[in-house]
Amino acid sequence: MTDVALRRLEKSFGRTPAVRGIDLDAPAGRLTVLLGPSGCGKTTLLRLIAGLEEADAGEIRIGGRLVNDLSPRERDVAIVFQSYALYPHMTVFKNLAFALKMSGMRRAAINARVREVAKMLQIDDLLARRPRQLSGGQQQRVAMGRAMVREPQVYLFDEPLSNLDARLRAQMRAEITRLQRALGTTMIYVTHDQVEAMTLADHVVLLDRGRVAQAGPPLDIYNRPANLFVASFLGAPPMNLYETRILGQVDGAVLVALPQGALARVRIKGRPPERLTPVTLGIRPENLLLGDAAPAADTLDADVTRVERLGAQTHVVLACSDMQLIAIADGEARIAVGDRIRVHLPGSRCHLFDIAGRAM
Amino acid sequence: MKTAVKKAVWRIAFALLIAAIAVFALAPVYWAVVTSLETGSDLFTVDYLPRGPVWSNYVAVFERQAFGRNILNSVLVAGGTVALSMAVALIAAYALSRIEFRGRLLLLFTVLSVSMFPQVAILSGLFELIATLGLYNSLPGLGLSYMIFTLPFMVWVLVAFMRELPREIEEAAIADGAGPWTIVTRIFLPLMMPAMATSGLLAFIIAWNEFLFALTFTLTNEARTVPVAIALITGASPYELPWGRIMAASVIVTAPVVLLALLFQRRIVAGLTAGAVRG
């Protein structure tokens, strides 16, 4: 069992900083997802861990061992690339065997190991083929197999599913989870897809412009975003945000001004801020109460400006004075554009962010 | 109806054009073949088919002079030049396309500029160099001088081709524990076979046909290559040019090049179009 720890890691390309002082712990035997929009430094971070890039400053420890100056091979990590990067001129068997051959393993042992891995990934009948004769999903499996044959301490995945179609992606997600449970090896997985992050991860590290925005179990991050970036990045449709002010406090909850003179009562962790402090109120679309579900007090009247029916659910865009809201209703909900509907923002589900964007 | 006629006319015109180009390109070769199969006064009459083909010219080429030795020389020089150029160019291309170092572009253009000077301009200087190295009148001396023009273009072709190879394949190999030498020989070399075949064949043709250096840097017939040997074929008297033998020798030396081109035809086409449709 090997954990990966990064301390004050920095990396720039020319004058462009890609990773700016990152502290990160990928727990041993777990799947850690590095999540973030493109350009947030997640792939650079993975390449730094792999040893394909050299860090400008900071420490990379794998299993407690400082590996900054070690080659990828000596770090004992395996990478699955976004493009798979299979060797086009070699058969599947040779692709899988290459790393073992490099390590000087005996032929019989290589043969046995390759067949074992191929069987695990259900590609044992493809061993004689070349990569171009395989479908995308099969190439993906070979790429994973190439990492697995070596039995590395840590697996690194760089957006491995982004070239697959949606159905295959869901299937491979399940497969990766199954493999991770079976192998029990530490994995670090880079993606920009929050669905992948939520479904695969034991531990999510959300990155923003070369820094860690928040790290923790996926649902913790979803339910308790540490800042505005995390709040707005996670969730589809995204969290509703409304810039407003604090009006006062009652029984340990602060009162936040809403349109039409309504109030939201939000509990916060720290000291209650002064009256009229500007804040951003956030609430997820699925937490809004619509129509009859809304209680009598502190309810807003909103105009339905747009209705998107997805089948299982309906996204409803609401305009409520200067506040724009997206709500999620049933697939069959009787809501039409132009309707006037009552909306309630339950205070227990609201998030408050200060002017710097930090959760309060 | 009218369009069908028009189409047919165009087609015939196009076929005629192609035929004209083919005749223009192949007539000299055909003429050489025909002439090589004739002797005596037949040489000087216009025949479109050899009159009772005679093979005496071909026999004479080998009997009257050490033409076999010349062919061997050519094979050794051209083959050696190509093999050495390929090896050096492959390694150089890896460094120039994959490793970032200061002055990389300058070096690349320096390599190119080496091949820009006309042969005549460097002839005397190169003569001094080869004489100093003790390579005068020897095959290695010729090989060395040929690499002046085979290496730069090979390096450039291979650098361009290697840049097209996805970086991730190399990185996968690095992660698999392969060193630079293994990456070059086991990963890049097989992927670059089309480029190697194309540039190798062109280098072979250049080295095979080269005349000026071969004439200048050799003294005796034992060290001469085929083009020089053919030019120096003499008849019984200074006033006779033995056309039959010259043509026979020409046909003999053309054959290997044609054969090689046919052999590598598919790879050459792949090499010329690679990069355009990669993906």
Side-chain angles (χ1 to χ4, degrees):
Chain A
M1 288 299 186
T2 314
D3 68 317
V4 176
L6 309 181
R7 293 291 171 262
R8 295 183 305 281
L9 201 62
E10 281 176 36
K11 174 73 187 174
S12 315
F13 296 104
R15 261 185 244 149
T16 322
V19 171
R20 323 196 224 185
I22 281 192
D23 290 298
L24 183 154
D25 289 280
R30 296 296 168 83
L31 199 156
T32 301
V33 168
L34 305 182
L35 177 67
S38 53
C40 72
K42 55 191 190 299
T43 294
T44 305
L45 206 52
L46 194 80
R47 293 169 59 84
L48 284 165
I49 298 170
L52 295 172
E53 302 283 354
E54 217 171 301
D56 296 338
E59 292 182 353
I60 305 169
R61 287 180 184 277
I62 298 178
R65 186 169 60 130
L66 187 68
V67 298
N68 281 45
D69 297 326
L70 297 186
S71 72
R73 176 81 208 195
E74 292 165 319
R75 295 183 188 199
D76 203 8
V77 298
I79 317 161
V80 177
F81 292 94
Q82 181 172 9
S83 66
Y84 313 144
L86 302 177
Y87 309 126
H89 58 294
M90 297 188 194
T91 60
V92 170
F93 182 92
K94 284 190 177 159
N95 265 283
L96 296 181
F98 188 74
L100 300 179
K101 215 185 267 177
M102 287 295 110
S103 68
M105 197 190 252
R106 288 213 333 280
R107 187 175 291 213
I110 291 177
N111 209 333
R113 178 74 190 135
V114 167
R115 278 175 207 292
E116 182 190 336
V117 168
K119 198 156 195 179
M120 218 191 300
L121 289 166
Q122 292 150 23
I123 50 174
D124 40 346
D125 51 339
L126 305 175
L127 286 176
R129 299 226 200 138
R130 279 172 208 274
R132 77 176 58 152
Q133 297 167 300
L134 303 178
S135 70
Q138 289 167 335
Q139 290 184 9
Q140 167 69 55
R141 282 163 194 272
V142 176
M144 303 229 306
R146 193 169 59 177
M148 281 166 60
V149 282
R150 281 169 42 198
E151 300 179 89
Q153 298 288 318
V154 179
Y155 287 93
L156 305 172
F157 293 94
D158 185 10
E159 310 213 18
L161 305 184
S162 57
N163 290 340
L164 301 178
D165 60 50
R167 240 182 79 158
L168 213 48
R169 208 179 301 171
Q171 195 185 324
M172 288 307 294
R173 275 207 308 266
E175 189 111 336
I176 290 175
T177 308
R178 183 179 68 81
L179 280 172
Q180 207 278 327
R181 299 283 177 268
L183 298 169
T185 318
T186 310
M187 293 184 178
I188 299 179
Y189 188 108
V190 160
T191 185
H192 63 268
D193 181 344
Q194 49 173 303
V195 177
E196 266 174 40
M198 297 302 284
T199 51
L200 284 171
D202 298 309
H203 186 78
V204 173
V205 179
L206 191 50
L207 298 170
D208 176 27
R209 281 167 293 165
R211 294 201 174 86
V212 174
Q214 194 175 354
L219 277 182
D220 278 13
I221 295 185
Y222 186 81
N223 290 328
R224 285 188 286 283
N227 51 54
L228 264 178
F229 170 79
V230 178
S232 55
F233 185 81
L234 278 184
M239 184 182 276
N240 296 298
L241 298 172
Y242 178 62
E243 286 176 21
T244 178
R245 286 175 188 279
I246 301 277
L247 286 185
Q249 56 169 305
V250 159
D251 308 335
V254 292
L255 300 176
V256 183
L258 293 177
Q260 301 170 3
L263 292 172
R265 292 153 205 275
V266 187
R267 286 192 181 278
I268 60 173
K269 284 174 289 180
R271 221 158 45 86
E274 283 176 40
R275 199 175 131 81
L276 295 184
T277 306
V279 292
T280 303
L281 177 88
I283 184 159
R284 295 212 178 270
E286 66 269 28
N287 292 333
L288 290 169
L289 298 178
L290 298 183
D292 296 339
D298 283 326
T299 300
L300 307 167
D301 287 323
D303 294 313
V304 176
T305 58
R306 194 173 152 74
V307 175
E308 293 178 329
R309 301 205 179 265
L310 304 184
Q313 49 181 222
T314 305
H315 295 172
V316 186
V317 183
L318 303 166
C320 183
S321 305
D322 63 337
M323 182 163 65
Q324 276 269 339
L325 292 171
I326 299 179
I328 295 179
D330 292 345
E332 307 275 322
R334 289 165 181 273
I335 298 174
V337 173
D339 285 0
R340 213 167 162 77
I341 192 171
R342 298 198 313 144
V343 190
H344 178 70
L345 286 69
S348 59
R349 300 299 198 134
C350 288
H351 305 266
L352 277 189
F353 303 94
D354 65 17
I355 193 112
R358 288 183 298 260
M360 294 167 72
Chain B
M1 198 58 207
K2 219 174 174 181
T3 53
V5 172
K6 220 173 171 183
K7 232 180 198 173
V9 169
W10 270 114
R11 228 173 232 200
I12 292 165
F14 188 63
L16 283 176
L17 181 68
I18 298 231
I21 292 172
V23 166
F24 185 77
L26 294 176
V29 182
Y30 180 72
W31 198 249
V33 173
V34 169
T35 310
S36 72
L37 294 172
E38 293 176 333
T39 52
S41 57
D42 286 352
L43 283 168
F44 303 101
T45 59
V46 178
D47 296 311
Y48 298 102
L49 280 173
R51 243 184 260 174
V54 285
W55 300 94
S56 59
N57 287 324
Y58 286 86
V59 178
V61 164
F62 289 96
E63 278 181 349
R64 299 268 187 93
Q65 63 256 326
F67 198 63
R69 177 63 195 256
N70 297 138
I71 291 182
L72 182 69
N73 285 347
S74 270
V75 169
L76 286 177
V77 170
T81 303
V82 169
L84 212 59
S85 302
M86 274 183 167
V88 175
L90 183 69
I91 301 166
Y94 178 71
L96 288 167
S97 68
R98 291 299 179 156
I99 299 167
E100 287 291 330
F101 58 89
R102 192 181 292 224
R104 197 172 57 95
L105 213 61
L106 182 70
L107 188 60
L108 209 49
F109 279 102
T110 308
V111 167
L112 185 67
S113 67
V114 164
S115 63
M116 283 178 187
F117 300 103
Q119 269 185 288
V120 179
I122 57 171
L123 196 62
S124 47
L126 199 58
F127 184 87
E128 286 296 323
L129 181 75
I130 282 181
T132 311
L133 291 174
L135 296 174
Y136 180 63
N137 198 29
S138 76
L139 300 185
L142 286 185
L144 183 73
S145 62
Y146 292 173
M147 281 171 70
I148 290 173
F149 31 84
T150 58
L151 256 183
F153 101 83
M154 263 189 140
V155 167
W156 270 77
V157 168
L158 296 191
V159 163
F161 197 86
M162 217 180 258
R163 279 206 185 130
E164 296 284 312
L165 297 177
R167 179 139 225 148
E168 289 191 337
I169 290 188
E170 184 186 356
E171 289 175 345
I174 291 173
D176 274 348
W181 183 248
T182 314
I183 291 173
V184 169
T185 55
R186 304 276 286 278
I187 307 291
F188 281 167
L189 183 59
L191 292 177
M192 305 210 355
M193 276 330 272
M196 296 290 274
T198 316
S199 57
L201 186 70
L202 288 176
F204 185 88
I205 292 172
I206 291 174
W208 185 261
N209 290 338
E210 204 285 329
F211 179 77
L212 186 59
F213 285 177
L215 179 71
T216 314
F217 302 145
T218 56
L219 186 64
T220 58
N221 200 33
E222 282 66 52
R224 276 186 195 132
T225 53
V226 165
V228 180
I230 292 177
L232 298 182
I233 286 176
T234 47
S237 72
Y239 305 104
E240 184 206 341
L241 262 182
W243 284 115
R245 271 194 287 144
I246 290 175
M247 287 307 174
S250 306
V251 171
I252 291 171
V253 301
T254 311
V257 179
V258 174
L259 216 67
L260 276 178
L262 288 177
L263 212 66
F264 287 107
Q265 188 189 27
R266 290 182 60 192
R267 285 184 184 265
I268 289 168
V269 173
L272 292 177
T273 57
V277 289
R278 182 165 288 276

